[in-house]
């Protein structure tokens, strides 16, 4: 919505109720994350106790003689003082909120593998959900040997079962042969379609958009809390 929470709060106060608006935050509309949210909310693993998200890519890896993949597409990112959490993980934070509910930041450590960057390309974050589940995010987008586009793995451990999303498949461990497969290329387009559909349906029905200004403000606050906890000035 804006680079900082303070700017977002000012924008929301200025617009007031005169114009309804939605932030295009689309990871929660990716079919694999939407499926995880449905299955967790349906109680497939019981009360959730622990979640761990791993994000890996080599998109900012400084290969000798090569421009990092992400900088070839968006060269301005090299000068971002807030990078991985601000530019990438904010989308994962929103998806996790849609699955786990609201969270608070407990600890955060940031690091930089590519020393030519101004901001971080590594993050280790621990959060806690409102229901008391421990949530860990382990992300590195300068990871040697990994593909240039990020791949995700999310373990959701409940009191009765464990649900695992790994790249293109979702598995409930009590039913290892019952695997839900996802076409990630198709899902990439589907998340845009899902976000726009939610916007249009909200306009027609008058219901709140799923990622309206107030919802997105909570995601922005999580992002800033991670930097603040890690000792990075906003």
């Amino acid at each position: 919505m804006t680079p900082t929470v303070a700017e977002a709060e000012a924008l929301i106060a200025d617009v007031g109720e005169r114009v309804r608006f939605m932030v295009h935050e689309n990871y929660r509309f990716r079919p694999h994350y939407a499926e995880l949210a449905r299955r967790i909310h349906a109680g497939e693993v019981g009360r959730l106790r622990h979640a761990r998200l791993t994000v890996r890519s080599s998109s900012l890896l400084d290969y000798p003689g090569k421009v990092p993949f992400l900088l070839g597409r968006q060269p301005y990112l090299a000068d971002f003082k807030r990078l991985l959490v601000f530019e990438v993980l904010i989308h994962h934070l929103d998806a996790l909120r849609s699955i786990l509910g609201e969270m608070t930041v407990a600890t955060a450590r940031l690091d930089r593998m590519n020393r030519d960057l101004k901001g971080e390309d590594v993050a280790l974050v621990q959060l806690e959900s409102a229901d008391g589940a421990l949530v860990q995010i382990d992300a590195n987008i300068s990871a040697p040997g990994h593909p240039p586009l990020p791949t995700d793995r999310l373990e959701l451990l409940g009191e009765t079962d464990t649900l695992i999303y790994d790249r293109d498949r979702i598995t409930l461990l009590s039913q290892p042969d019952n695997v839900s497969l996802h076409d990630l290329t198709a899902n990439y387009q589907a998340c845009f379609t899902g976000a726009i559909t939610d916007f249009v349906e909200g306009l027609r029905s008058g219901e709140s958009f799923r990622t309206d200004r107030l919802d997105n403000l909570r995601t922005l606050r999580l992002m800033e809390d991670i930097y603040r906890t890690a000792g990075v000035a906003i």
Side-chain angles (χ1 to χ4, degrees), residues 97-170:
R97 285 185 54 243
S98 73
I99 299 167
L100 309 176
E102 300 308 324
M103 299 174 289
T104 55
V105 179
T107 62
R109 294 287 302 273
L110 307 177
D111 199 4
R112 184 167 59 248
M113 289 189 67
N114 182 345
R115 295 299 172 183
D116 291 333
L117 301 172
K118 298 289 179 62
E120 80 285 354
D121 54 12
V122 179
L124 293 174
V125 181
Q126 182 168 306
L127 309 98
E128 184 174 346
S129 76
D131 292 333
L134 298 180
V135 183
Q136 296 170 304
I137 300 175
D138 175 354
N140 187 323
I141 55 173
S142 291
H146 286 266
L149 291 175
T151 56
D152 301 346
R153 187 177 195 275
L154 177 58
E155 295 182 63
L156 298 164
L157 291 76
E159 292 184 336
T160 60
D161 214 332
T162 295
L163 196 61
I164 296 179
Y165 162 63
D166 193 357
R167 300 192 182 205
D168 64 349
R169 62 196 59 215
I170 297 174

Side-chain angles (χ1 to χ4, degrees), residues 7 14 18-19 23 25 28 33 55 80 89 94 100 125 128 139 143 147-149 154 170 173 189 214 226:
E7 290 171 288
D14 183 57
R18 291 180 292 114
V19 179
V23 179
E25 181 57 76
R28 67 167 67 196
Y33 281 126
V55 180
F80 275 29
L89 291 185
D94 189 75
L100 309 176
V125 181
E128 184 174 346
L149 291 175
L154 177 58
I170 297 174
L173 292 192
Q189 175 57 45
L214 298 180
I226 289 172

Side-chain angles (χ1 to χ4, degrees), residues 27 30-37 53 92 95 99 152 154 165:
Y27 267 44
R30 292 188 172 189
H32 45 279
Y33 281 126
E35 178 182 331
L36 290 171
L53 172 67
H92 294 87
I99 299 167
D152 301 346
L154 177 58
Y165 162 63

Side-chain angles (χ1 to χ4, degrees), residues 29-32 182-193:
F29 295 101
R30 292 188 172 189
H32 45 279
H182 285 266
D183 180 340
L184 297 186
T185 300
N187 284 7
Y188 182 79
Q189 175 57 45
C191 71
F192 292 96
T193 302

Side-chain angles (χ1 to χ4, degrees), residues 75-91:
Y76 54 86
L77 294 178
D79 294 323
F80 275 29
K81 293 182 179 178
R82 295 181 295 160
L83 182 50
L84 171 56
V85 180
F86 179 85
E87 180 69 15
V88 179
L89 291 185
I90 190 166
H91 306 308

